Amino acid sequence: MFNLNTLKSVALVGMIAFGFMAQARTAQAAELETLTVAGGCFWCVEADFEKVKGVKEAVSGFAGGSVKNPTYKQVTAGGTGHYEVVQITFDPSIVDRRTLLDLFFRSVDPTDAGGQFCDRGDSYRTAIFAETPQQQKIAKAAKAKAATDLGQTVVTPILGASEFYPADAYHQDYYKGNSLVLTRFGPKRQASAYKAYRKACGRDARVKELWGSAAPFAGS
């Protein structure tokens, strides 16, 4: 039969074990990193990077502007200074920042300063947001490699840290959504509407034209 001291010992062991598990979960969470990039339509960037092994989440949103909590309409109308961006959360033990940046450059047209593909305007320009000097160094190296591989000038800016504002729920995971939406192609489920938009916008065709077999996501 347990006496009081035995019960206290069991309780103490349980508390210690719980503490170790909590610390392990915290350490695991702390290992994750984020990368914020602008690559035109955030639906497409999100869809591309959620396919990458080691990416835990990709969230569509806005960064780089001067207005707090901007709406999608405000950003696309212009004047807020924001880019459409995707914040990528990844496990660096599986995929590193440089690899993600190399994939990013080869999934966009980094020679276009006026937008991306059919989406024109400041909010659709490409950009990389680097929060530390080390991140700046990695981004600059990836940009230089992209320019060398293309043999063209890469206009994608490497910007400093900027507050990230998630877009509303309608824009998250749009590429795999099942809601019925009215589009210029007629009523479609979101996933079908996304595919039709991406093809009509010429994203994959242009990326293949630029990068050829090095394009990681075109047509996927």
Side-chain angles (χ1 to χ4, degrees):
M1 180 179 292
F2 284 115
N3 58 32
L4 183 59
N5 287 334
T6 302
L7 287 173
K8 286 181 178 179
S9 297
V10 171
L12 180 60
V13 169
M15 290 174 65
I16 292 172
F18 179 80
F20 278 128
M21 287 189 293
Q23 286 180 351
R25 285 195 296 269
T26 301
Q28 185 177 22
E31 291 175 358
L32 298 180
E33 297 181 16
T34 60
L35 168 65
T36 303
V37 293
C41 171
F42 48 26
W43 297 344
C44 298
V45 180
E46 182 184 326
D48 287 345
F49 279 89
E50 286 194 341
K51 297 182 179 80
V52 178
K53 185 178 180 181
V55 169
K56 301 302 182 182
E57 185 181 34
V59 179
S60 292
F62 314 104
S66 57
V67 176
K68 290 186 178 180
N69 297 309
T71 65
Y72 178 78
K73 286 185 177 180
Q74 285 178 311
V75 172
T76 55
T80 70
H82 289 89
Y83 293 77
E84 278 199 16
V85 302
V86 171
Q87 187 172 82
I88 302 163
T89 300
F90 64 97
D91 184 341
S93 70
I94 300 174
V95 60
D96 60 27
R97 184 175 300 272
R98 174 58 191 271
T99 298
L100 291 174
L101 287 170
D102 287 340
L103 291 173
F104 166 71
F105 275 115
R106 288 154 186 77
S107 67
V108 296
D109 180 354
T111 69
D112 187 349
Q116 285 291 284
F117 317 107
C118 67
D119 293 315
R120 313 312 300 165
D122 289 352
S123 64
Y124 292 108
R125 294 172 298 165
T126 61
I128 297 167
F129 293 84
E131 299 181 0
T132 67
Q134 179 62 16
Q135 290 181 15
Q136 286 267 351
K137 181 179 178 180
I138 295 170
K140 287 178 180 178
K143 179 177 178 177
K145 182 66 164 57
T148 298
D149 288 352
L150 274 182
Q152 299 184 51
T153 300
V154 168
V155 299
T156 303
I158 299 169
L159 306 175
S162 176
E163 187 163 3
F164 171 74
Y165 297 99
D168 57 274
Y170 174 81
H171 292 289
Q172 306 299 338
D173 293 324
Y174 189 94
Y175 74 98
K176 57 185 177 183
N178 193 46
S179 298
L180 190 65
V181 292
L182 184 61
T183 74
R184 58 175 168 155
F185 311 104
K188 287 183 176 291
R189 298 294 176 183
Q190 283 178 315
S192 295
Y194 163 74
K195 290 178 182 177
Y197 153 76
R198 182 163 179 150
K199 183 177 181 180
C201 197
R203 187 181 187 101
D204 293 328
R206 175 56 177 158
V207 170
K208 285 181 180 178
E209 180 185 354
L210 275 173
W211 293 103
S213 60
F217 307 119
S220 63

